[in-house]
Amino acid sequence: MEYKFREIEKKWQQQWINTNAYRVLNVSEKPKFYVLDMFPYPSGAGLHVGHPLGYIASDIYSRFKRLKGFNVLHPMGYDAFGLPAEQYAIEHGVHPAVSTDQNINNFRRQLDNIGFCYDWDREVRTCDPGYYKWTQWIFLQLFNSFYNRKTNKAEKIDVLIASFETEGNASHPIPNSQFPITSFTAEEWKSFDEKTQQDILMQYRLAYCGYGEVNWCEALGTVLANDEVVNGVSERGGHPVVKKKLRQWYLRITEYADRLLEGLERIEFSESMKEMQTNWIGKSSGAEIEFKVKSENAKDKSLRVYTTRPDTIFGVDFMVVAPEHELVDLIKSNDQATAVDEYIAYVKSRSERERQAEKKISGVFTGAYAVNPFNGREIPIWISEYVLAGYGTGAIMAVPCGDERDFKFAQHFNIPITNIIGKHFNGEDANATKDAILENSGFLNGTPMREAAEIVIGKLEESGIGVRKVNYRMRDAAFSRQRYWGEPFPIQWKDGTAYALSETELPLLLPEVDSYSPGPEGEGPLANIPEWVAKELETNTMPGYAGSSWYFLRYMDPHNDKAFCDRSVSDYWNQVDIYIGGTEHAVGHLLYSRMWTKALYDLGHIGYDEPFKKLVNQGMIQGSSRFVYRLNPEGDEEHVNKTKANYPNPIFISYGIYEKYISQQKAHPHEFKAFIDNKYPGFIFTDKMGADHISISKLHVDVNFVDGYELDMDAFKKWRNHEFAGAEFILEEGKYICGSEVEKMSKTKYNTVNPDDLVDKYGADTFRMYEMFLGPVEISKPWDTKGIEGVHRFLKKLWRLFYDDLKGQVWNNDKATDAELKVLHKTIKKIEDDTERFSFNTGVSTFMIAVNELSDLKCNKKEILEQLLILLTPYAPHVSEELWAALGNSGSILDASFPKFEAKYVTESTKDYPVAINGKTRTELTLDLSITQAEVEAIVLNNETVLKWLDGKQPKKIIYVKNKMINVVI
């Protein structure tokens, strides 16, 4: 009976649908376990073989936990809002809802083809009004809340208002130090008009509106995140990006900075992931200092600078201010104005990532000076791109003797350097030491640096020119986009003041539009809808991460129209036990979802403040690209035209020939010409100086018609509408061998492989196991379809333990032998350990070894094979289900219990001992591990081989070393 995997897999996929095999209930006597994949965006290109890696890993683990007796939640949905869908819609003339729906249908078909155990009744789509109603609802919770620094949690804005009405803002200072009103009494609060009160409350709200510099892309008509800008252009489409001030919504994530750091100690993230998040938050301690500014065009201005090293205050030789800092225009001198303006224009075309990574030193002197508050020294104020407006105060005090970047800047612009650390500074390199005794430092002279910081902070606060400050690199998260395809904000503007819509008005539906172009002042496309504008509704939409910041909660209770998730349900499922996804979401998504969870916890909507207990980051499956090498005519125009006339078809040389001749051109410059002249006389041109003109184009070729490295020449000729129909090939040993290179898997490199093709050719079970067999889940590795044959042969070999192609059924009910039980229990132990620790590649190897050993033992016994199938189910569910039923089991293998490991079957009771005669091994004995010296001697003296060597003599002695060897001394 043949292994007909196509029929088997379709049969069981339909059976699982018919029986709701993967339906998960929110009530169970079993312990719960929540396995989650990172929310995918369903692109129009569909899945390539790199995408399912994490999904297969989570599927194996989910099935494993189910067999271990858990009620497993393993859902799937779609992050369906966002810029890519909108751009696709614009480019193809379809509504993003239509294209997104088409993409999701294709995505779902491909996932089903691989046989995942998702509970599709729980599917969510962020673009579904039934879903984004609750995204809007959560936004309103944030809008109507503030962060109470006294209780260290989010509370309702009504609590803040009540405090204002009784004591003003004495207990709750305004977070925004730039706001015109810094403090007020209860009486003053009551006297403020409605607009002033709302403006003040906006400074406290967890979701608030303000003006900020953003990456504006005119061609795309939207604001881009920093990681969407590369070299001053949009990552998508390569369009110019400039800095622009727009009204933006923000989330006050900075208030959660300390809790986000503390929470990392309670969750299982990799150390590298924790480090990335810690660095992104960037907590530091120091002081904020006011420096008076001396400028020909501005009076009574001061520059606030944050520093982590107040002990170096006397070593400040210049200031560096962010080019976009609001003071720059006010303080620039007349002589420097043009240079300053030109530099600012240059910086506006650069992303923050590029500015921070730039190694080239650049900057401009403003013509203004800051005055050191302790000695009156005038310090030149410069602007440079490496200082960002959003970090700290947007200005730094530069101490070149103690900071390498400041030192290089000072050297580049010939700024004199003050040495405050004596012998620790050699004049050639900065030294960031904290162990020096201060010099040239006024009242700090002779003070150890580690003691000086506290002294300086004390004097700053005493004089009212500075304060102790904890600072964070992380900034409040921009939470609005000037585009169409996103969640509308449930906000109405009345005379310039934002008011929340009532919860009864949710969802605020996304309206139809005729145009996706931006509004009149750079607003989103919703600004072009008269009815929308007439209602004074917000014209921005939420960013893509809005829906993905809480989707793991909606999976728990997806059909609830009364709440985003019933509290009893979220209490049952609690945290995600294991979260699986790529490192590309290491910072943004994980920080935002952690912050949303903490806010919902603070407000009493859920019972835990960290969403994910454990995170597993899968590596990337890289493309293994293939190349062909086209010979191009070169030389003067006459030669090229003549060559093309004589040889009109493209000529491709096999990789081995390319390597042999081209890599050795310098050593043997004429060999390749002679080789080609022999086949295509006159193709390569030799000029008057005797130089051979050789040009070879290295072209990507579709890996789907390359078998390993051998090109299917007929398929290649038909490729790209028969572009190479007349191609000629210079072969090696009758084959065209392609070159190869590991690159990112991409359609443009023709190195993507569609999993549909592999599932059709080899089956879903083979595909699943091969993806795992490639290597550890956590590391990146190249794809090579060639190796999939080995996994397919393994499944055929497994099948033959049950069925013979000629005899049919061969499994039986005979009792298992000790050797067979040993193989089984050794496999149980290894598979349980490997699967629990996500070592799926070694798990696949273990199955291969087990099947080989059982085949050698000619084991066809149900007692063994039945247990083996349960072990295999998470990895290859279709064939396991088919053979389970064939063994006569009435229920699904999905509901079986994971086999129990019994150590007695693998505990060794005997050992093979080499027996040496006078130190040279002559034979081997298998002895019981508990045997005594006397028993060993009796057995040895009765062994035929030993007797032959003794030749009738008695041995001098018999040496028995337990667990090692036996030596007979004659």
Side-chain angles (χ1 to χ4, degrees), residues 11-83:
K11 166 188 167 182
W12 286 106
Q13 286 171 11
Q14 188 58 51
Q15 176 70 3
W16 294 329
I17 292 170
N18 295 343
T19 58
N20 282 320
Y22 300 126
R23 188 181 178 199
V24 181
L25 300 178
N26 288 339
V27 179
S28 175
E29 294 180 357
K30 298 177 180 179
K32 72 91 189 182
F33 202 90
Y34 189 174
V35 181
L36 182 65
D37 295 302
M38 281 194 181
F39 220 14
Y41 166 73
S43 74
L47 293 173
H48 60 60
V49 292
H51 293 127
L53 177 68
Y55 303 155
I56 296 171
S58 68
D59 196 72
I60 290 173
Y61 199 74
S62 297
R63 292 174 182 275
F64 169 70
K65 291 307 249 186
R66 177 171 175 167
L67 293 171
K68 295 285 283 183
F70 288 86
N71 184 31
V72 181
L73 177 58
H74 185 218
M76 176 54 76
Y78 306 102
D79 193 5
F81 269 138
L83 182 60

Side-chain angles (χ1 to χ4, degrees), residues 229-518:
V229 182
V230 179
N231 297 324
V233 298
S234 64
E235 185 178 41
R236 185 176 181 85
H239 306 294
V241 176
V242 297
K243 292 291 184 183
K244 184 174 184 176
K245 265 202 170 179
L246 289 175
R247 188 186 75 199
Q248 295 289 297
W249 284 94
Y250 296 90
L251 298 184
R252 209 177 292 277
I253 193 172
T254 49
E255 294 287 0
Y256 282 93
D258 282 332
R259 286 174 62 186
L260 289 168
L261 284 171
E262 179 275 328
L264 290 174
E265 302 304 313
R266 295 185 279 114
I267 53 181
E268 286 187 64
F269 285 13
S270 68
E271 289 307 312
S272 61
M273 178 65 69
K274 288 182 178 181
E275 184 179 0
M276 289 171 72
Q277 294 221 337
T278 299
N279 291 342
W280 186 267
I281 294 167
K283 183 178 181 179
S284 61
S285 300
E288 201 166 87
I289 309 172
E290 292 275 349
F291 290 84
K292 289 184 177 178
V293 173
K294 184 176 180 181
S295 166
E296 66 183 49
N297 292 322
K299 305 294 182 186
D300 301 322
K301 295 294 178 185
S302 61
L303 178 65
R304 285 187 314 116
V305 173
Y306 170 77
T307 177
T308 60
R309 297 293 303 274
D311 53 306
T312 63
I313 185 72
F314 289 98
V316 181
D317 290 319
F318 58 97
M319 300 288 188
V320 186
V321 175
E324 56 270 50
H325 195 290
E326 57 190 10
L327 269 183
V328 174
D329 266 346
L330 300 174
I331 66 173
K332 63 187 179 186
S333 68
N334 297 332
D335 288 345
Q336 291 295 108
T338 300
V340 168
D341 291 345
E342 288 176 352
Y343 188 74
I344 290 172
Y346 154 74
V347 171
K348 279 190 173 182
S349 69
R350 309 264 286 161
S351 73
E352 288 190 3
R353 177 185 289 177
E354 291 164 333
R355 287 169 60 177
Q356 289 177 301
E358 181 60 76
K359 289 187 168 48
K360 180 182 173 185
I361 298 170
S362 69
V364 171
F365 175 45
T366 63
Y369 296 84
V371 179
N372 190 313
F374 290 129
N375 62 7
R377 180 184 175 193
E378 293 183 1
I379 305 165
I381 302 174
W382 288 69
I383 59 173
S384 180
E385 65 176 322
Y386 76 85
V387 177
L388 306 176
Y391 178 59
T393 63
I396 65 164
M397 56 183 224
V399 182
C401 74
D403 182 273
E404 191 62 33
R405 195 163 199 171
D406 296 345
F407 179 78
K408 289 178 178 177
F409 193 96
Q411 276 195 320
H412 186 81
F413 290 108
N414 296 314
I415 300 171
I417 296 173
T418 303
N419 180 12
I420 60 170
I421 54 176
K423 64 182 181 182
H424 291 274
F425 179 58
N426 60 14
E428 297 179 4
D429 299 286
N431 188 340
T433 182
K434 292 182 180 180
D435 297 322
I437 302 298
L438 287 164
E439 302 178 11
N440 297 318
S441 295
F443 61 83
L444 294 175
N445 280 339
T447 304
M449 297 183 87
R450 293 185 186 278
E451 299 174 14
E454 282 300 312
I455 296 172
V456 172
I457 291 174
K459 285 189 174 289
L460 289 170
E461 293 188 321
E462 186 182 308
S463 306
I465 54 175
V467 293
R468 186 184 304 276
K469 186 84 172 179
V470 173
N471 207 19
Y472 301 90
R473 180 176 290 110
M474 179 174 66
R475 283 156 285 165
D476 284 340
F479 194 68
S480 52
R481 298 290 185 266
Q482 289 66 42
R483 62 176 180 232
Y484 168 70
W485 192 237
E487 299 91 340
F489 282 92
I491 291 292
Q492 189 172 25
W493 290 89
K494 298 177 182 177
D495 298 324
T497 299
Y499 290 91
L501 295 183
S502 165
E503 291 180 11
T504 60
E505 297 177 79
L506 304 182
L508 175 61
L509 296 175
L510 189 64
E512 294 288 334
V513 293
D514 296 322
S515 168
Y516 300 109
S517 59

Side-chain angles (χ1 to χ4, degrees), residues 914-922 933 936-937 940-941 945-947 949-961 965-970:
V915 179
I917 309 293
N918 284 349
K920 191 165 185 179
T921 300
R922 298 298 183 183
Q933 173 79 27
V936 169
E937 291 180 7
V940 167
L941 291 176
T945 304
V946 174
L947 291 172
W949 284 96
L950 286 175
D951 194 23
K953 301 173 186 174
Q954 284 295 313
K956 286 186 179 180
K957 59 181 172 179
I958 297 175
I959 302 169
Y960 163 54
V961 182
M965 53 81 71
I966 299 168
N967 188 23
V968 180
V969 181
I970 300 175

Side-chain angles (χ1 to χ4, degrees), residues 823-838:
V823 171
L824 173 64
H825 284 272
K826 186 173 62 173
T827 306
I828 292 171
K829 177 66 173 165
K830 188 73 166 61
I831 291 298
E832 185 169 13
D833 291 347
D834 287 350
T835 307
E836 192 63 71
R837 60 191 177 89
F838 269 64

Side-chain angles (χ1 to χ4, degrees), residues 467-666:
V467 293
R468 186 184 304 276
K469 186 84 172 179
V470 173
N471 207 19
Y472 301 90
R473 180 176 290 110
M474 179 174 66
R475 283 156 285 165
D476 284 340
F479 194 68
S480 52
R481 298 290 185 266
Q482 289 66 42
R483 62 176 180 232
Y484 168 70
W485 192 237
E487 299 91 340
F489 282 92
I491 291 292
Q492 189 172 25
W493 290 89
K494 298 177 182 177
D495 298 324
T497 299
Y499 290 91
L501 295 183
S502 165
E503 291 180 11
T504 60
E505 297 177 79
L506 304 182
L508 175 61
L509 296 175
L510 189 64
E512 294 288 334
V513 293
D514 296 322
S515 168
Y516 300 109
S517 59
E521 299 297 326
E523 308 102 323
L526 298 182
N528 297 321
I529 303 175
E531 297 83 1
W532 194 267
V533 175
K535 293 178 183 176
E536 300 182 282
L537 295 168
E538 173 63 67
T539 56
N540 288 332
T541 53
M542 297 187 199
Y545 72 81
S548 64
S549 290
W550 72 281
Y551 71 104
F552 47 90
L553 293 166
R554 189 61 176 173
Y555 279 144
M556 299 177 185
D557 200 9
H559 306 298
N560 192 334
D561 59 0
K562 305 297 183 188
F564 74 99
C565 181
D566 188 273
R567 178 62 190 266
S568 65
V569 175
S570 65
D571 283 349
Y572 171 71
W573 287 113
N574 207 266
Q575 294 167 282
V576 173
D577 291 282
I578 195 156
Y579 194 28
I580 302 161
T583 55
E584 65 270 22
H585 302 296
V587 176
H589 161 64
L590 288 175
L591 281 175
Y592 300 144
S593 56
R594 292 179 64 214
M595 179 255 180
W596 282 49
T597 301
K598 290 179 187 298
L600 290 169
Y601 169 77
D602 290 349
L603 298 171
H605 299 299
I606 56 176
Y608 43 90
D609 73 340
E610 282 290 343
F612 317 117
K613 279 186 183 179
K614 181 177 181 178
L615 175 71
V616 172
N617 288 122
Q618 89 247 14
M620 182 185 297
I621 288 187
Q622 299 159 309
S624 184
S625 299
R626 296 293 182 263
F627 298 92
V628 292
Y629 303 88
R630 184 172 64 194
L631 192 63
N632 302 315
E634 268 208 349
D636 56 35
E637 186 176 354
E638 181 182 353
H639 173 76
V640 170
N641 290 337
K642 183 178 178 181
T643 303
K644 286 182 176 179
N646 290 336
Y647 307 108
N649 295 323
I651 300 169
F652 295 90
I653 59 173
S654 189
Y655 175 70
I657 300 167
Y658 168 80
E659 272 291 287
K660 178 181 178 182
Y661 290 107
I662 301 306
S663 64
Q664 297 180 15
Q665 269 191 77
K666 291 182 180 178

